[in-house]
Amino acid sequence: MSEATRRSLRTFVQSAVALAVALPTIVDASGVAAGLPWAAGAAAAAATLSRIMALESVQPLLPRPLRTGADDGRQLAALLRSERRRG
């Protein structure tokens, strides 16, 4: 899975969770103005979830596609091996 796909998937999950938290109140609201504070709350929840998911201690708890930098070490090691073979 590419890094761009991984980032998109993480953003989608974070936004979906935040929206699920705010959705009942948004549905009950009769107008857009009444829903605006909850939209701000959803954005804050998404940002909070994003920061939590980025913590190194949380990474092992996430499914592999949602982890950040999961392949960085392997890719770097492979690059270094290929450079050593050349030179």
Short mmCIF file of all heavy atoms in Angstrom, two decimals, residues 16-77:
data_model
loop_
_atom_site.label_atom_id
_atom_site.label_comp_id
_atom_site.label_asym_id
_atom_site.label_seq_id
_atom_site.Cartn_x
_atom_site.Cartn_y
_atom_site.Cartn_z
N ALA A 16 -14.46 9.83 9.86
CA ALA A 16 -15.67 9.05 10.07
C ALA A 16 -16.00 8.91 11.56
O ALA A 16 -17.16 9.03 11.96
CB ALA A 16 -15.52 7.67 9.43
N VAL A 17 -14.98 8.68 12.37
CA VAL A 17 -15.20 8.57 13.81
C VAL A 17 -15.69 9.90 14.37
O VAL A 17 -16.64 9.95 15.16
CB VAL A 17 -13.93 8.10 14.54
CG1 VAL A 17 -14.06 8.23 16.04
CG2 VAL A 17 -13.61 6.66 14.16
N ALA A 18 -15.05 10.98 13.96
CA ALA A 18 -15.46 12.30 14.45
C ALA A 18 -16.89 12.63 14.02
O ALA A 18 -17.68 13.17 14.79
CB ALA A 18 -14.49 13.36 13.94
N LEU A 19 -17.24 12.30 12.79
CA LEU A 19 -18.58 12.57 12.30
C LEU A 19 -19.61 11.70 13.03
O LEU A 19 -20.71 12.18 13.36
CB LEU A 19 -18.66 12.33 10.80
CG LEU A 19 -19.97 12.72 10.13
CD1 LEU A 19 -20.25 14.21 10.33
CD2 LEU A 19 -19.92 12.39 8.65
N ALA A 20 -19.25 10.47 13.33
CA ALA A 20 -20.16 9.58 14.05
C ALA A 20 -20.46 10.12 15.44
O ALA A 20 -21.57 9.95 15.95
CB ALA A 20 -19.56 8.18 14.15
N VAL A 21 -19.49 10.80 16.04
CA VAL A 21 -19.71 11.38 17.36
C VAL A 21 -20.71 12.54 17.27
O VAL A 21 -21.59 12.68 18.12
CB VAL A 21 -18.36 11.88 17.95
CG1 VAL A 21 -18.59 12.74 19.18
CG2 VAL A 21 -17.47 10.70 18.27
N ALA A 22 -20.60 13.34 16.24
CA ALA A 22 -21.43 14.54 16.12
C ALA A 22 -22.73 14.32 15.36
O ALA A 22 -23.64 15.14 15.45
CB ALA A 22 -20.63 15.64 15.44
N LEU A 23 -22.84 13.23 14.62
CA LEU A 23 -23.99 13.03 13.74
C LEU A 23 -25.34 13.06 14.43
O LEU A 23 -26.26 13.70 13.92
CB LEU A 23 -23.82 11.73 12.95
CG LEU A 23 -24.75 11.54 11.77
CD1 LEU A 23 -24.61 12.70 10.79
CD2 LEU A 23 -24.47 10.23 11.08
N PRO A 24 -25.53 12.42 15.58
CA PRO A 24 -26.87 12.48 16.20
C PRO A 24 -27.34 13.91 16.49
O PRO A 24 -28.51 14.24 16.29
CB PRO A 24 -26.70 11.69 17.50
CG PRO A 24 -25.56 10.78 17.23
CD PRO A 24 -24.65 11.53 16.31
N THR A 25 -26.46 14.73 16.93
CA THR A 25 -26.83 16.11 17.24
C THR A 25 -27.09 16.89 15.96
O THR A 25 -28.01 17.72 15.90
CB THR A 25 -25.71 16.79 18.05
OG1 THR A 25 -25.46 15.98 19.20
CG2 THR A 25 -26.11 18.17 18.49
N ILE A 26 -26.30 16.64 14.94
CA ILE A 26 -26.49 17.33 13.65
C ILE A 26 -27.84 16.97 13.06
O ILE A 26 -28.57 17.81 12.55
CB ILE A 26 -25.34 17.01 12.69
CG1 ILE A 26 -24.04 17.62 13.22
CG2 ILE A 26 -25.64 17.52 11.29
CD1 ILE A 26 -22.80 17.19 12.44
N VAL A 27 -28.22 15.69 13.16
CA VAL A 27 -29.50 15.24 12.62
C VAL A 27 -30.65 15.88 13.39
O VAL A 27 -31.67 16.26 12.81
CB VAL A 27 -29.59 13.70 12.66
CG1 VAL A 27 -30.99 13.22 12.35
CG2 VAL A 27 -28.60 13.10 11.69
N ASP A 28 -30.50 16.00 14.70
CA ASP A 28 -31.56 16.61 15.52
C ASP A 28 -31.68 18.11 15.30
O ASP A 28 -32.74 18.70 15.54
CB ASP A 28 -31.31 16.35 17.01
CG ASP A 28 -31.57 14.90 17.37
OD1 ASP A 28 -32.29 14.22 16.62
OD2 ASP A 28 -31.03 14.46 18.41
N ALA A 29 -30.63 18.71 14.85
CA ALA A 29 -30.66 20.17 14.65
C ALA A 29 -31.58 20.50 13.47
O ALA A 29 -31.60 19.83 12.46
CB ALA A 29 -29.26 20.69 14.37
N SER A 30 -32.33 21.55 13.62
CA SER A 30 -33.28 21.90 12.57
C SER A 30 -32.68 22.82 11.52
O SER A 30 -33.20 22.92 10.41
CB SER A 30 -34.50 22.57 13.19
OG SER A 30 -34.11 23.75 13.87
N GLY A 31 -31.59 23.48 11.85
CA GLY A 31 -30.99 24.40 10.88
C GLY A 31 -29.49 24.27 10.86
O GLY A 31 -28.88 23.66 11.72
N VAL A 32 -28.89 24.88 9.86
CA VAL A 32 -27.45 24.81 9.71
C VAL A 32 -26.75 25.51 10.87
O VAL A 32 -25.75 25.03 11.38
CB VAL A 32 -27.03 25.44 8.36
CG1 VAL A 32 -25.52 25.50 8.25
CG2 VAL A 32 -27.62 24.67 7.21
N ALA A 33 -27.29 26.64 11.30
CA ALA A 33 -26.65 27.40 12.38
C ALA A 33 -26.56 26.58 13.66
O ALA A 33 -25.59 26.66 14.40
CB ALA A 33 -27.41 28.69 12.63
N ALA A 34 -27.57 25.76 13.93
CA ALA A 34 -27.55 24.93 15.14
C ALA A 34 -26.50 23.83 15.03
O ALA A 34 -26.01 23.33 16.04
CB ALA A 34 -28.92 24.32 15.38
N GLY A 35 -26.16 23.44 13.82
CA GLY A 35 -25.19 22.36 13.64
C GLY A 35 -23.75 22.81 13.57
O GLY A 35 -22.84 21.99 13.66
N LEU A 36 -23.53 24.11 13.42
CA LEU A 36 -22.17 24.59 13.28
C LEU A 36 -21.28 24.30 14.48
O LEU A 36 -20.13 23.90 14.31
CB LEU A 36 -22.15 26.08 12.94
CG LEU A 36 -22.57 26.41 11.51
CD1 LEU A 36 -22.56 27.91 11.29
CD2 LEU A 36 -21.68 25.72 10.50
N PRO A 37 -21.74 24.48 15.71
CA PRO A 37 -20.87 24.12 16.84
C PRO A 37 -20.50 22.64 16.84
O PRO A 37 -19.40 22.27 17.22
CB PRO A 37 -21.71 24.47 18.08
CG PRO A 37 -22.68 25.48 17.60
CD PRO A 37 -22.97 25.13 16.17
N TRP A 38 -21.40 21.80 16.38
CA TRP A 38 -21.10 20.37 16.34
C TRP A 38 -20.14 20.05 15.21
O TRP A 38 -19.35 19.11 15.32
CB TRP A 38 -22.39 19.58 16.24
CG TRP A 38 -23.16 19.73 17.50
CD1 TRP A 38 -24.27 20.51 17.69
CD2 TRP A 38 -22.85 19.17 18.76
NE1 TRP A 38 -24.67 20.45 19.00
CE2 TRP A 38 -23.82 19.63 19.68
CE3 TRP A 38 -21.85 18.32 19.21
CZ2 TRP A 38 -23.80 19.25 21.02
CZ3 TRP A 38 -21.84 17.95 20.55
CH2 TRP A 38 -22.81 18.41 21.43
N ALA A 39 -20.19 20.82 14.14
CA ALA A 39 -19.20 20.63 13.07
C ALA A 39 -17.81 20.98 13.58
O ALA A 39 -16.83 20.29 13.28
CB ALA A 39 -19.57 21.49 11.86
N ALA A 40 -17.72 22.03 14.38
CA ALA A 40 -16.45 22.38 14.99
C ALA A 40 -16.01 21.29 15.96
O ALA A 40 -14.83 20.95 16.03
CB ALA A 40 -16.57 23.72 15.71
N GLY A 41 -16.95 20.73 16.68
CA GLY A 41 -16.64 19.61 17.57
C GLY A 41 -16.15 18.39 16.82
O GLY A 41 -15.22 17.70 17.26
N ALA A 42 -16.75 18.13 15.66
CA ALA A 42 -16.31 17.00 14.84
C ALA A 42 -14.90 17.23 14.33
O ALA A 42 -14.07 16.31 14.30
CB ALA A 42 -17.28 16.79 13.67
N ALA A 43 -14.60 18.46 13.93
CA ALA A 43 -13.24 18.78 13.47
C ALA A 43 -12.24 18.63 14.60
O ALA A 43 -11.13 18.10 14.41
CB ALA A 43 -13.20 20.19 12.90
N ALA A 44 -12.61 19.07 15.79
CA ALA A 44 -11.73 18.92 16.95
C ALA A 44 -11.52 17.45 17.29
O ALA A 44 -10.40 17.04 17.62
CB ALA A 44 -12.30 19.68 18.14
N ALA A 45 -12.58 16.67 17.21
CA ALA A 45 -12.46 15.24 17.49
C ALA A 45 -11.57 14.56 16.46
O ALA A 45 -10.75 13.70 16.81
CB ALA A 45 -13.84 14.59 17.51
N ALA A 46 -11.70 14.94 15.19
CA ALA A 46 -10.84 14.36 14.15
C ALA A 46 -9.38 14.72 14.38
O ALA A 46 -8.49 13.89 14.23
CB ALA A 46 -11.29 14.85 12.77
N ALA A 47 -9.13 15.96 14.77
CA ALA A 47 -7.75 16.39 15.04
C ALA A 47 -7.18 15.64 16.24
O ALA A 47 -6.02 15.21 16.22
CB ALA A 47 -7.71 17.89 15.28
N THR A 48 -7.99 15.47 17.28
CA THR A 48 -7.53 14.75 18.46
C THR A 48 -7.23 13.30 18.13
O THR A 48 -6.19 12.75 18.51
CB THR A 48 -8.59 14.82 19.57
OG1 THR A 48 -8.84 16.20 19.89
CG2 THR A 48 -8.16 14.08 20.81
N LEU A 49 -8.12 12.67 17.38
CA LEU A 49 -7.91 11.28 16.99
C LEU A 49 -6.67 11.14 16.11
O LEU A 49 -5.91 10.19 16.24
CB LEU A 49 -9.15 10.76 16.26
CG LEU A 49 -9.15 9.28 15.90
CD1 LEU A 49 -9.02 8.43 17.15
CD2 LEU A 49 -10.42 8.94 15.15
N SER A 50 -6.45 12.11 15.24
CA SER A 50 -5.26 12.11 14.40
C SER A 50 -3.98 12.14 15.23
O SER A 50 -3.03 11.39 14.97
CB SER A 50 -5.30 13.31 13.45
OG SER A 50 -4.11 13.41 12.73
N ARG A 51 -3.96 13.00 16.24
CA ARG A 51 -2.77 13.10 17.11
C ARG A 51 -2.57 11.82 17.91
O ARG A 51 -1.45 11.36 18.09
CB ARG A 51 -2.90 14.29 18.06
CG ARG A 51 -2.91 15.64 17.39
CD ARG A 51 -1.68 15.90 16.54
NE ARG A 51 -0.47 15.80 17.34
CZ ARG A 51 0.72 15.51 16.85
NH1 ARG A 51 0.89 15.29 15.57
NH2 ARG A 51 1.76 15.43 17.65
N ILE A 52 -3.66 11.24 18.38
CA ILE A 52 -3.55 9.99 19.14
C ILE A 52 -3.03 8.87 18.25
O ILE A 52 -2.15 8.10 18.66
CB ILE A 52 -4.91 9.63 19.78
CG1 ILE A 52 -5.24 10.62 20.89
CG2 ILE A 52 -4.90 8.20 20.32
CD1 ILE A 52 -6.65 10.49 21.42
N MET A 53 -3.55 8.78 17.04
CA MET A 53 -3.12 7.72 16.12
C MET A 53 -1.67 7.89 15.70
O MET A 53 -1.03 6.92 15.30
CB MET A 53 -4.03 7.67 14.90
CG MET A 53 -5.42 7.15 15.21
SD MET A 53 -6.53 7.21 13.78
CE MET A 53 -5.88 5.88 12.78
N ALA A 54 -1.13 9.09 15.79
CA ALA A 54 0.25 9.33 15.39
C ALA A 54 1.25 8.97 16.49
O ALA A 54 2.45 8.90 16.23
CB ALA A 54 0.43 10.80 15.00
N LEU A 55 0.78 8.73 17.71
CA LEU A 55 1.68 8.39 18.81
C LEU A 55 2.36 7.04 18.56
O LEU A 55 1.71 6.09 18.13
CB LEU A 55 0.92 8.33 20.14
CG LEU A 55 0.34 9.65 20.65
CD1 LEU A 55 -0.54 9.40 21.87
CD2 LEU A 55 1.46 10.62 20.98
N GLU A 56 3.65 6.98 18.83
CA GLU A 56 4.40 5.73 18.64
C GLU A 56 3.83 4.59 19.49
O GLU A 56 3.84 3.44 19.07
CB GLU A 56 5.87 5.94 18.97
CG GLU A 56 6.60 6.80 17.95
CD GLU A 56 6.68 6.15 16.59
OE1 GLU A 56 6.83 4.90 16.52
OE2 GLU A 56 6.59 6.87 15.59
N SER A 57 3.35 4.91 20.69
CA SER A 57 2.82 3.87 21.57
C SER A 57 1.48 3.32 21.07
O SER A 57 1.08 2.22 21.45
CB SER A 57 2.66 4.41 22.99
OG SER A 57 1.82 5.54 22.99
N VAL A 58 0.80 4.05 20.20
CA VAL A 58 -0.50 3.61 19.68
C VAL A 58 -0.33 2.84 18.37
O VAL A 58 -1.17 2.01 18.03
CB VAL A 58 -1.43 4.84 19.48
CG1 VAL A 58 -2.74 4.45 18.83
CG2 VAL A 58 -1.69 5.51 20.82
N GLN A 59 0.76 3.08 17.65
CA GLN A 59 0.97 2.45 16.35
C GLN A 59 0.80 0.92 16.37
O GLN A 59 0.13 0.38 15.49
CB GLN A 59 2.35 2.82 15.80
CG GLN A 59 2.49 4.27 15.42
CD GLN A 59 1.59 4.66 14.28
OE1 GLN A 59 1.52 3.97 13.27
NE2 GLN A 59 0.89 5.75 14.43
N PRO A 60 1.35 0.21 17.34
CA PRO A 60 1.17 -1.26 17.34
C PRO A 60 -0.28 -1.70 17.53
O PRO A 60 -0.63 -2.82 17.17
CB PRO A 60 2.03 -1.73 18.53
CG PRO A 60 2.98 -0.63 18.79
CD PRO A 60 2.29 0.62 18.38
N LEU A 61 -1.12 -0.85 18.07
CA LEU A 61 -2.51 -1.20 18.30
C LEU A 61 -3.37 -1.04 17.05
O LEU A 61 -4.47 -1.57 16.98
CB LEU A 61 -3.09 -0.32 19.42
CG LEU A 61 -2.36 -0.39 20.77
CD1 LEU A 61 -2.95 0.64 21.72
CD2 LEU A 61 -2.42 -1.78 21.35
N LEU A 62 -2.86 -0.30 16.07
CA LEU A 62 -3.62 -0.03 14.85
C LEU A 62 -3.47 -1.16 13.85
O LEU A 62 -2.43 -1.83 13.82
CB LEU A 62 -3.12 1.27 14.20
CG LEU A 62 -3.29 2.55 15.01
CD1 LEU A 62 -2.60 3.70 14.30
CD2 LEU A 62 -4.74 2.85 15.22
N PRO A 63 -4.48 -1.37 13.00
CA PRO A 63 -4.31 -2.32 11.91
C PRO A 63 -3.16 -1.86 11.00
O PRO A 63 -2.93 -0.66 10.86
CB PRO A 63 -5.64 -2.27 11.16
CG PRO A 63 -6.60 -1.64 12.10
CD PRO A 63 -5.81 -0.78 13.02
N ARG A 64 -2.44 -2.79 10.40
CA ARG A 64 -1.27 -2.46 9.60
C ARG A 64 -1.50 -1.37 8.55
O ARG A 64 -0.67 -0.48 8.42
CB ARG A 64 -0.71 -3.72 8.94
CG ARG A 64 0.63 -3.47 8.27
CD ARG A 64 1.33 -4.74 7.89
NE ARG A 64 1.59 -5.63 9.00
CZ ARG A 64 2.60 -5.51 9.85
NH1 ARG A 64 3.43 -4.52 9.73
NH2 ARG A 64 2.77 -6.39 10.81
N PRO A 65 -2.62 -1.35 7.83
CA PRO A 65 -2.80 -0.28 6.82
C PRO A 65 -2.91 1.12 7.41
O PRO A 65 -2.70 2.10 6.73
CB PRO A 65 -4.09 -0.66 6.10
CG PRO A 65 -4.28 -2.10 6.36
CD PRO A 65 -3.66 -2.37 7.70
N LEU A 66 -3.27 1.22 8.69
CA LEU A 66 -3.44 2.53 9.30
C LEU A 66 -2.19 3.03 10.02
O LEU A 66 -2.14 4.16 10.49
CB LEU A 66 -4.60 2.51 10.30
CG LEU A 66 -5.98 2.25 9.71
CD1 LEU A 66 -7.02 2.26 10.81
CD2 LEU A 66 -6.32 3.27 8.65
N ARG A 67 -1.16 2.20 10.09
CA ARG A 67 0.08 2.61 10.76
C ARG A 67 0.87 3.54 9.86
O ARG A 67 0.88 3.41 8.65
CB ARG A 67 0.93 1.39 11.08
CG ARG A 67 0.29 0.47 12.08
CD ARG A 67 1.15 -0.72 12.34
NE ARG A 67 0.41 -1.69 13.13
CZ ARG A 67 0.77 -2.95 13.25
NH1 ARG A 67 1.86 -3.39 12.66
NH2 ARG A 67 0.05 -3.77 13.97
N THR A 68 1.54 4.49 10.48
CA THR A 68 2.41 5.39 9.72
C THR A 68 3.84 4.88 9.80
O THR A 68 4.28 4.41 10.85
CB THR A 68 2.37 6.83 10.27
OG1 THR A 68 2.73 6.79 11.64
CG2 THR A 68 1.01 7.44 10.11
N GLY A 69 4.55 4.98 8.70
CA GLY A 69 5.95 4.60 8.70
C GLY A 69 6.20 3.13 8.93
O GLY A 69 7.28 2.75 9.34
N ALA A 70 5.22 2.28 8.68
CA ALA A 70 5.38 0.86 8.94
C ALA A 70 6.47 0.23 8.08
O ALA A 70 7.16 -0.67 8.52
CB ALA A 70 4.05 0.13 8.71
N ASP A 71 6.65 0.72 6.86
CA ASP A 71 7.62 0.14 5.94
C ASP A 71 8.89 0.97 5.83
O ASP A 71 9.79 0.61 5.08
CB ASP A 71 7.00 -0.01 4.55
CG ASP A 71 5.83 -0.99 4.56
OD1 ASP A 71 5.85 -1.92 5.38
OD2 ASP A 71 4.92 -0.82 3.74
N ASP A 72 8.97 2.09 6.53
CA ASP A 72 10.11 2.98 6.37
C ASP A 72 11.43 2.30 6.65
O ASP A 72 12.39 2.45 5.92
CB ASP A 72 9.96 4.21 7.26
CG ASP A 72 8.85 5.13 6.79
OD1 ASP A 72 8.40 4.95 5.65
OD2 ASP A 72 8.45 6.01 7.57
N GLY A 73 11.50 1.55 7.72
CA GLY A 73 12.75 0.88 8.09
C GLY A 73 13.16 -0.15 7.06
O GLY A 73 14.33 -0.25 6.69
N ARG A 74 12.23 -0.93 6.57
CA ARG A 74 12.54 -1.95 5.56
C ARG A 74 12.96 -1.33 4.26
O ARG A 74 13.87 -1.80 3.59
CB ARG A 74 11.35 -2.86 5.37
CG ARG A 74 11.12 -3.79 6.55
CD ARG A 74 10.01 -4.73 6.25
NE ARG A 74 8.78 -3.91 6.25
CZ ARG A 74 7.61 -4.33 6.65
NH1 ARG A 74 7.47 -5.57 7.06
NH2 ARG A 74 6.56 -3.55 6.64
N GLN A 75 12.29 -0.25 3.86
CA GLN A 75 12.64 0.42 2.61
C GLN A 75 14.03 1.04 2.70
O GLN A 75 14.81 0.95 1.76
CB GLN A 75 11.61 1.49 2.26
CG GLN A 75 10.28 0.90 1.86
CD GLN A 75 9.23 1.98 1.61
OE1 GLN A 75 9.48 3.16 1.83
NE2 GLN A 75 8.06 1.57 1.15
N LEU A 76 14.35 1.63 3.83
CA LEU A 76 15.66 2.23 4.01
C LEU A 76 16.75 1.15 4.00
O LEU A 76 17.79 1.32 3.36
CB LEU A 76 15.71 3.01 5.32
CG LEU A 76 17.04 3.67 5.66
CD1 LEU A 76 17.43 4.65 4.56
CD2 LEU A 76 16.97 4.38 6.99
N ALA A 77 16.50 0.04 4.67
CA ALA A 77 17.47 -1.05 4.70
C ALA A 77 17.70 -1.60 3.29
O ALA A 77 18.84 -1.87 2.90
CB ALA A 77 17.01 -2.15 5.64
#
